[in-house]
Each structure stands twice: as structure tokens, then as C-alpha cells.
Amino acid sequence: MRMRSLAEQFDAFLFDLDGVVYIGDEPMSDAVEALGRLRAMGKAVRFLTNDPRYTRQQFVRRLEGMGIEAVPDEVIGCGWATAQHLRQLGVRSALVVGNAALASELEAAGIVPTEADGGEPPTVDAVVVGAGEHLGYRHILQASRAILAGANFVATNADGRFPAPGGPAPGTGAIVRAVDVATGRRPLVVGKPNPFMFRMALESLAPGAQAVMVGDNPATDILGAHLAGLPGILVAREGEGGRPGITVPQAQGASSRRGLLQADAVVSTLLALFEPSPPLRHWAPLPHPWPERVSPGVAAVVLGPEDRVLWVRRQDTGRWSLPLGHVEPAESLHEAVRRDVLEETGLVVRPVRLTGVYSEPAAQVFVYPSGEAVHFVTCCFLCRVEGGCLQPAPDEVSEAAFFEPGAPPPAAMAIHLQWVAHALAGGPEAVVR
Ligand SMILES: [Mg+2]
């Protein structure tokens, strides 16, 4: 059977703009041709961009000026998407750290915008950070004060840089990070790789349409596509004049969640979309939030009198778990487990054996109340009590008690029951450092 081209395999193509369709004001010649051919084949096209400096209408004029057909409903810009999302959240007023285009998208969504001028912070529901060459310290100051006074912190995107004529230029993320560091608050980020814009694009397509994302940034375009359950094609141009090439990496197995940042096909030019290609793998949405970082953690199976096991009841969830915690900078695992058990229970323990290293994301991704998702890699130790007295830390633990291994507390965390079983299965005692 003839291999179908990527263009034939999909009904809808979601294109990133910067670096894929154009750089600055210059269109990429392969993009102009590829978009024309996709239109001629009757394919749906959407443009998903993390550039908050233009309205949908302005993007259409930019594209038309480059010889690329587009209508406003096909453009999912992060400024427009932010305005729609905030309207759904009931936000009525916003301080706009960006340009007039971003303010006008918010206004069109019924949100009263105040453009940041570096003056006194206004009382607003949200501070919305976009981009603009005029932004400076005074705007960051004004935004930070408004957030510390109670406004929600919203970022149109968090890109650190974007492709510009003459090389990469600081993106919205550079301003977002400044406000983040100055306030200690985390923003709600609307742009790619978060799912909002992908969802909006998919909702605008015919039901059941098979869509694919085409972008040049693995961390936003490819990751975002996969988080939304779509395949992602990475554009990696190698200069003009080369033959259209497609590389389809070997799939790592349908059940594997590895490689979320790895594209399903890499093309050297957008004209490769019309070359025969193996079918791309399918993605299911992730069963857990995308973790922003991986962090080391420790847990303890503490054996007390008659080899009963220490359990603690958590204040935040009300559930019984093993004593656990994170590893601080410049701390060994040995020191971390001793400190965490002491802080949570008042007991001084000696770790005697590493009994398991746990990293399964389905169980090990933890979402803090701030919305930050962290993937813990937890080393579990068998420990023996050396001293101290049982005294739960009231801000974290409501109860702490020893239980028979065969009769754990009710509603104990299932994953921790497994860790106890592994710890009690035996093995040689080892030095833990
Ligand atoms: Mg790009």
C-alpha cells in the first residue's frame, strides 16, 4: 500500500508562526507554498502563536502582507486567548503590562484594561503580562505592587526568547520571571505549552477532525501538542535548497509517556508535509499535570516497638502516609530523612537501608495549592528509632502513631502500603549517606 503524505494523514494543521511561517516581517518561502497547497487540498488551518503583541486582525493583515491567506477566526494568538480565558474566569479589570493590542483584545472580551504606565498600581482583578519593547523597571514595579495588593498574576505566555532578525530576542517570559521573582507569586500561564490555546483551536474545528501541530519549539509547540493529545511535527530547517526530508523517530511503545518533548516527525522544510511518511503515533492526554520540575524526596518506614510501623496523618489531605519530605540543597539523603522524620514526628531515627526508589509519575506528581506541579523522585529508607519523643508537628501532621504492619491505619495511602511491603521484605542493611 502507498504511504500517505503527512498532508493526507490529517484534516487540520495547527501552525506556530514565529520561526515556522515567518521570522520578523519576512515570510518563509516554503511556508507560503505549503499553506497554499494545504488550502487547495481543503485542509483546515489554524495559527497558534505565543506572540501577544498583535490582535487577531493585525495577525491577519501581517500574514496577508506576506501573501498568506488567513481570517481572524483561524488565529489563536495568546493575547486573544488570554482575554477569552479571563472572561470565562469572571475577571472584569486588568492592568496590562504589554501593548495597546493586548489591551484591545481584553477590552473586546469585556474586560476593562488599564495600560501600565509605571505609576501607582490600580486596583484590578488581574495583572496581565504580555510583551513590548517599551517595558522597563517601573512597569515591573507597578505590576508587582498590584499583585502584592491582591490582583491575580496572569501571563500571556512564558517564552524566554523568540526568533528575531539578527538572533533570539527576550520574550514575554523574561518580564514574567522578573515579576515572579519580585513577588514570589506564580503566574497562570495561558500560552503554549498549556492546553488553553490547543483546546480553543480544536473546538473551532469540525467534530472528529484529525489535527496535528507544526512548530519549531519542542518546549512549547511539541510538548503542548502532546499534552493536548495531538501529534507534533518539528520544523528544523537546514538552509535552503536541500531535499525535503522527514525523520520519524521510533515510537517507544504505546504505553510509554517518555519523550513528551520529542517530536513525532522532524521536517527540514514545510514542503516535506507532501512527501510520503510513516503514520505518526497517537497521543492520549496525560493522566496527571505536567510537572514544572523534578525534585528529590525521601520517605521513611520507621520501625518502633515490636517492629510496628510509624504512620502520620496529614493536615492537608487528612490521609495517613509515611513520614516524608524533600531534600534541601547541600543535604545528603541520610540527613534529609533524619531531618524530615524529626520535623514531622519529633523522633530521632537512624536510616539503615535503602528499600526503594520511586519515580512513577502517576503517583509521584504532586500539585501544591499554588498550582505548582512537582515530580518527586523519592528514596524510601527503613529506619530505626534512636531517640526523641513522638510529637507531631501541628502545621503538617495531626496524628502520628505506630501500627502493626498487617493492620495499617484506615485510608492509608495505597502507594505507601506498597513501600512498607518492599521495606519489610528484607535485604542486607547498607550504609546510607
Ligand atoms: Mg516558533
Side-chain angles (χ1 to χ4, degrees):
M1 204 174 82
R2 181 180 78 88
M3 262 204 299
R4 296 195 302 162
S5 68
L6 292 168
E8 289 170 303
Q9 287 178 33
F10 295 95
D11 310 310
F13 291 78
L14 318 183
F15 281 94
D16 172 44
L17 285 178
D18 281 294
V20 172
V21 173
Y22 54 64
I23 289 186
D25 294 325
E26 286 300 314
M28 317 295 285
S29 59
D30 59 331
V32 178
E33 184 181 338
L35 282 160
R37 286 174 69 177
L38 289 172
R39 297 273 191 202
M41 291 170 75
K43 303 295 178 182
V45 171
R46 297 290 181 272
F47 301 101
L48 273 67
T49 174
N50 271 3
D51 185 348
R53 297 172 304 166
Y54 304 100
T55 63
R56 292 176 119 187
Q57 285 77 11
Q58 289 169 335
F59 277 118
V60 167
R61 281 199 288 277
R62 265 172 84 74
L63 289 165
E64 283 175 348
M66 298 174 190
I68 296 166
E69 183 193 324
V71 297
D73 283 349
E74 292 173 336
V75 181
I76 320 279
C78 66
W80 175 80
T82 299
Q84 303 310 306
H85 189 60
L86 293 187
R87 180 174 55 78
Q88 286 165 7
L89 293 178
V91 166
R92 283 164 305 178
S93 59
L95 176 67
V96 182
V97 184
N99 66 5
L102 179 56
S104 116
E105 289 289 29
L106 289 162
E107 196 163 24
I111 297 161
V112 179
T114 304
E115 284 190 57
D117 59 3
E120 287 299 309
T123 302
V124 285
D125 292 341
V127 170
V128 178
V129 180
E133 287 79 1
H134 66 288
L135 295 175
Y137 176 82
R138 290 188 57 76
H139 303 95
I140 292 166
L141 175 67
Q142 188 182 23
S144 302
R145 293 258 165 94
I147 289 164
L148 291 173
N152 291 298
F153 178 15
V154 180
T156 55
N157 73 92
D159 294 3
R161 64 199 75 81
F162 65 93
T172 307
I175 310 289
V176 172
R177 286 289 288 140
V179 177
D180 172 346
V181 169
T183 58
R185 302 285 168 83
R186 292 167 26 76
L188 167 73
V189 182
V190 175
K192 299 174 287 184
N194 292 295
F196 305 108
M197 286 166 53
F198 293 91
R199 230 179 268 153
M200 286 171 178
L202 294 178
E203 282 167 7
S204 75
L205 296 171
Q210 295 293 309
V212 63
M213 177 72 199
V214 184
D216 67 336
N217 186 336
T220 53
D221 301 318
I222 304 303
L223 174 62
H226 291 162
L227 294 178
L230 302 176
I233 299 172
L234 186 74
V235 186
R237 292 187 178 87
E238 293 158 2
E240 298 297 316
R243 258 188 59 78
I246 307 176
T247 312
V248 177
Q250 283 297 308
Q252 294 167 334
S255 66
S256 173
R257 286 184 302 273
R258 285 169 59 207
L260 278 157
L261 287 150
Q262 188 188 14
D264 303 291
V266 182
V267 295
S268 57
T269 152
L270 291 180
L271 300 179
L273 296 177
F274 306 95
E275 299 288 317
S277 162
L280 302 191
R281 70 170 285 188
H282 287 274
W283 290 81
L286 265 197
H288 55 77
W290 176 249
E292 291 162 47
R293 57 192 171 87
V294 181
S295 188
V298 288
V301 175
V302 178
L303 295 185
E306 294 152 21
D307 279 357
R308 284 185 294 164
V309 177
L310 179 65
W311 289 85
V312 298
R313 191 174 181 143
R314 306 239 149 247
Q315 286 283 15
D316 52 355
T317 61
R319 298 195 63 186
W320 290 91
S321 87
L322 294 174
L324 49 77
H326 61 277
V327 182
E328 297 206 330
E331 191 177 48
S332 70
L333 292 172
H334 177 267
E335 290 164 334
V337 73
R338 282 172 61 96
R339 177 185 51 73
D340 282 316
V341 174
L342 180 65
E343 283 174 2
E344 289 197 334
T345 69
L347 291 178
V348 177
V349 298
R350 179 171 55 93
V352 293
R353 184 158 48 85
L354 174 67
T355 58
V357 179
Y358 302 98
S359 63
E360 177 58 29
Q364 292 292 98
V365 172
F366 180 80
V367 184
Y368 286 97
S370 68
E372 185 185 22
V374 177
H375 180 180
F376 281 97
V377 175
T378 300
C379 295
C380 187
F381 294 96
L382 186 70
C383 301
R384 293 192 184 277
V385 178
E386 276 195 327
C389 59
L390 205 51
Q391 205 169 36
D395 53 334
E396 288 183 46
V397 170
S398 59
E399 285 177 77
F402 287 95
F403 291 80
E404 292 291 340
M413 287 177 63
I415 193 87
H416 289 185
L417 292 171
Q418 282 179 25
W419 297 2
V420 171
H422 298 162
L424 298 181
E429 300 209 347
V431 178
V432 176
R433 289 212 172 89

